[in-house]
Amino acid sequence: MLEALQFEFMRNALMAGLLASVLCGVMGTLVVVNRIVFLSGGIAHAAYGGIGLAFFMGWPFLPTTLGFTLAAAVLMAAVTIRARHRADTIIGVIWAVGMAIGVILLDLTPGYNVDLMSYLFGSILTVPFADIRLMLIITAVVGVALVFLYNDLLAMSYDEEFARIRGVPVTALYFFLIALLAVSIVVIIQVVGLILVIALLTIPPFISEKYARSLFAMMALSTLMGAVFTICGLWLSFTYDLTSGAAIILVAGVAFFLSLLVDGLKNRRLRRRAQAEALEAADRENTAESA
Amino acid sequence: MADEPIIAIRNLRFAYGGHPVLEDIDLTIYEGDFVAMIGPNGGGKTTLLKLMLGLLTPTGGSIRIFGRPPRQVSHLIGYMPQNVHVNTHFPVTALDVVLMGKLKPGRRWTRYSNQDRLEAHKALDRLGMGAFCHRRVGELSGGQLQRIFVARALVSEPRLLFLDEPTANIDTRGQAEFYGLLKELNESVTILVVSHDLLVLSAYVKSVACINRRLHYHDQAEITADMLETMYPCTPDQPCQVELMARGLPHRPLHIPGDE
């Protein structure tokens, strides 16, 4: 791994991966506890429509993609608030239509042949420094928002009704959370690709939720886990010449199934112990009765 | 000012999806009252609480709490919701849940103060949950969670307290202790409690509001057979509720409500 770091593209890849881990650790925790994983998937896929629009119209890439994705995200957020019972269906529609718009617009763009694979799995090994700087800025924004809004975000995520009664501006805060999520997703997709965004948003928070005593601890643990997955994945990718994004996801996936296995074993042991104790108690009762 | 009602509801109507849930609700509650809200499941008790908290918007009529619309004053009300099993896997400790009661409108951008923490610990101690303050909510039983939620309602030092079935998971001795605590609190706080434990309640409350789409308010803690008959009409699927509740009261033949 260390000899890999003498290459600038490796250093950039590592930095991009670590920044993505921080962003995904914080935002992913909020995504998981607010149960908006599906909505995040919708945002990530609808972003492709923005990419198509940028190429078709010849508009600047980042502002166009950000604008399109924010619009789709706000639409989905509004649907989740107003028609909660059908939210998942409508998000599914926006998800598919956004992606289709992107594909069609790119078809219609003369002379341009975009690589769908690089959108899906990213190209972490060819990240330009400008993208890393952008990620740094977004990470700073998320950090500041978190410092100032932590208690409100916690109250809203745990018990929305109570937060509302206490005067927390829940609706505005929810839209802000979704907007922040959309911006983060667009920035990270550019670097590591759509599939890795979803993996890093969900897998580390899922594992760390069981061990954390606070939302902040869950964020920190998720970030740490994301960083470990990224480093391991990049090492595997460098050593065995594998696709970097997919290697990181597979490492995360193995950790995910290991955590399920550990849970299963722990539960079984607890159940066994409870059974043994129940049997012992019954035995004692029987002895007492016969005596 | 002492005669200014703390809750004033006029002609309130609420319909959900075209179905009337509450109709012709008039209710005036003065400072210092201790009201039991009783009525069958689906009768609209929780809905009325949520209307008074500004979580729902009335279809018609008006609600004034402390003389103002509910949304402007909801933070002055201590509220304990009926369902305490929300988000039991959430990474949050009992203390952090109680601290949520310290959130205030307009007080964004700040952390909880040491004073807030001290008061949260006190509220937990008062409900006998001091030892559990660093436990995760998922490690607590239903009864313990209810105490945590009551502590969260009390920590803001409200003048008005809404409790939605606060003793549903607490055993009989715990219930007596709990209502004793409420009685003590009632010296400075106006209390509205939704409950089904009529016999327990009648020893503590000052008045009773019966809600079954309409509301009947009795400014005495008496529970009469008439009230029970109107509120818990005998239906084939709930045949013994009245008998159960009215044990000890003279039995009268049932009549259909509105048929007087």
Side-chain angles (χ1 to χ4, degrees):
Chain A
M1 189 72 199
L2 281 177
E3 76 263 29
L5 284 177
Q6 59 189 305
F7 301 109
E8 193 190 345
F9 72 90
M10 246 357 235
R11 284 199 299 271
N12 278 0
L14 189 63
M15 198 128 88
L18 292 182
L19 277 175
S21 305
V22 176
L23 265 180
C24 289
V26 172
M27 296 311 294
T29 293
L30 291 168
V31 163
V32 167
V33 298
N34 279 289
R35 301 193 191 99
I36 47 175
V37 172
F38 194 62
L39 199 156
S40 317
I43 292 175
H45 283 82
Y48 200 64
I51 294 172
L53 191 67
F55 280 110
F56 182 71
M57 301 301 287
W59 290 342
F61 178 77
L62 196 65
T64 311
T65 312
L66 266 182
F68 187 91
T69 313
L70 270 177
V74 166
L75 190 64
M76 287 189 266
V79 169
T80 4
I81 284 183
R82 292 192 169 226
R84 208 167 274 261
H85 55 293
R86 277 286 166 270
D88 56 346
T89 311
I90 295 166
I91 289 169
V93 172
I94 299 174
W95 171 318
V97 170
M99 191 94 189
I101 288 176
V103 172
I104 297 288
L105 285 178
L106 286 169
D107 280 348
L108 295 177
T109 307
Y112 191 80
N113 200 358
V114 79
D115 179 13
L116 192 62
M117 274 309 276
S118 87
Y119 174 72
L120 290 180
F121 280 97
S123 41
I124 195 168
L125 294 178
T126 59
V127 185
F129 189 73
D131 281 0
I132 294 185
R133 199 169 48 199
L134 190 68
M135 277 178 95
L136 261 173
I137 295 171
I138 300 298
T139 310
V141 170
V142 168
V144 170
L146 190 68
V147 167
F148 284 120
L149 295 172
Y150 181 78
N151 289 335
D152 289 344
L153 284 168
L154 170 64
M156 174 180 83
S157 310
Y158 179 65
D159 187 346
E160 183 211 312
E161 268 189 356
F162 191 81
R164 215 178 268 279
I165 292 167
R166 298 302 318 158
V168 175
V170 168
T171 310
L173 194 64
Y174 186 71
F175 277 105
F176 178 71
L177 173 65
I178 301 293
L180 211 55
L181 182 64
V183 174
S184 308
I185 287 177
V186 167
V187 173
I188 311 172
I189 279 184
Q190 282 208 78
V191 181
V192 299
L194 178 149
I195 310 286
L196 184 52
V197 169
I198 296 182
L200 281 184
L201 275 177
T202 49
I203 295 176
F206 175 85
I207 300 174
S208 56
E209 187 180 34
K210 288 170 286 198
Y211 306 104
R213 291 200 164 261
S214 71
L215 208 55
F216 181 76
M218 183 172 162
M219 288 171 177
L221 207 56
S222 303
T223 299
L224 198 72
M225 241 177 255
V228 171
F229 298 158
T230 306
I231 293 170
C232 292
L234 279 178
W235 178 77
L236 284 174
S237 148
F238 183 80
T239 314
Y240 299 102
D241 195 19
L242 304 169
T243 309
S244 50
I248 298 173
I249 293 168
L250 270 188
V251 172
V254 167
F256 174 81
F257 287 112
L258 275 180
S259 95
L260 285 185
L261 193 72
V262 168
D263 281 356
L265 290 177
K266 208 161 46 175
N267 283 343
R268 213 169 73 180
R269 210 172 48 207
L270 283 178
R271 250 203 321 272
R272 280 228 181 110
R273 192 184 302 166
Q275 265 171 2
E277 272 167 21
L279 272 177
E280 231 171 76
D283 270 350
R284 262 200 308 273
E285 232 165 71
N286 281 340
T287 345
E289 260 171 36
S290 53
Chain B
M1 280 304 282
D3 292 320
E4 194 76 6
I6 208 165
I7 297 173
I9 299 178
R10 297 281 162 271
N11 255 327
L12 179 76
R13 274 188 305 119
F14 182 77
Y16 186 79
H19 295 282
V21 179
L22 293 168
E23 281 181 314
D24 303 324
I25 306 284
D26 282 288
L27 179 67
T28 310
I29 306 257
Y30 291 93
E31 187 119 43
D33 206 344
F34 189 163
V35 190
M37 276 172 57
I38 62 169
N41 290 332
K45 303 178 299 272
T46 300
T47 305
L48 184 59
L49 281 188
K50 288 191 176 177
L51 283 160
M52 288 192 282
L53 287 161
L55 289 172
L56 297 171
T57 310
T59 314
S62 80
I63 304 179
R64 286 286 177 277
I65 312 283
F66 304 115
R68 293 170 59 196
R71 273 189 197 137
Q72 292 177 15
V73 290
S74 64
H75 64 282
L76 301 174
I77 303 170
Y79 171 54
M80 189 219 137
Q82 182 178 10
N83 182 13
V84 294
H85 294 282
V86 287
N87 281 326
T88 34
H89 295 291
F90 205 95
V92 66
T93 58
L95 180 66
D96 285 332
V97 171
V98 175
L99 275 170
M100 288 175 197
K102 278 293 182 188
L103 289 167
K104 287 190 188 87
R107 197 186 112 159
R108 306 274 74 83
W109 317 105
T110 50
R111 329 244 75 193
Y112 297 119
S113 64
N114 284 338
Q115 182 66 26
D116 288 340
R117 280 169 204 286
L118 203 72
E119 284 169 27
H121 278 293
K122 260 192 216 157
L124 280 166
D125 285 340
R126 193 163 195 182
L127 284 139
M129 292 298 294
F132 297 88
C133 64
H134 295 302
R135 290 277 191 95
R136 253 180 81 143
V137 286
E139 298 164 6
L140 300 173
S141 72
Q144 290 170 328
L145 272 175
Q146 279 186 324
R147 284 164 210 253
I148 299 294
F149 275 55
V150 174
R152 182 178 72 166
L154 289 181
V155 78
S156 58
E157 287 174 31
R159 279 171 63 198
L160 183 57
L161 192 56
F162 291 174
L163 303 161
D164 201 346
E165 301 198 18
T167 55
N169 294 312
I170 295 177
D171 58 32
T172 320
R173 209 190 74 195
Q175 281 183 17
E177 267 172 33
F178 179 73
Y179 284 116
L181 170 70
L182 286 190
K183 196 166 189 172
E184 196 185 303
L185 284 169
N186 185 230
E187 283 163 24
S188 56
V189 184
T190 311
I191 300 176
L192 245 87
V193 54
V194 171
S195 186
H196 289 292
D197 329 315
L198 292 182
L199 295 174
V200 184
L201 268 182
S202 55
Y204 298 94
V205 299
K206 294 176 182 164
S207 53
V208 179
C210 306
I211 297 158
N212 189 5
R213 200 148 59 117
R214 287 160 197 280
L215 184 145
H216 300 260
Y217 178 75
H218 306 261
D219 55 1
Q220 287 154 15
E222 259 180 11
I223 292 160
T224 64
D226 273 352
M227 271 163 67
L228 288 173
E229 281 161 22
T230 357
M231 286 305 136
Y232 296 93
C234 274
T235 54
D237 50 323
Q238 300 178 295
C240 43
Q241 201 162 21
V242 170
E243 219 177 305
L244 204 83
M245 298 292 183
R247 201 183 298 148
L249 291 167
H251 195 73
R252 301 184 199 178
L254 294 178
H255 61 264
I256 299 145
D259 200 30
E260 287 102 296

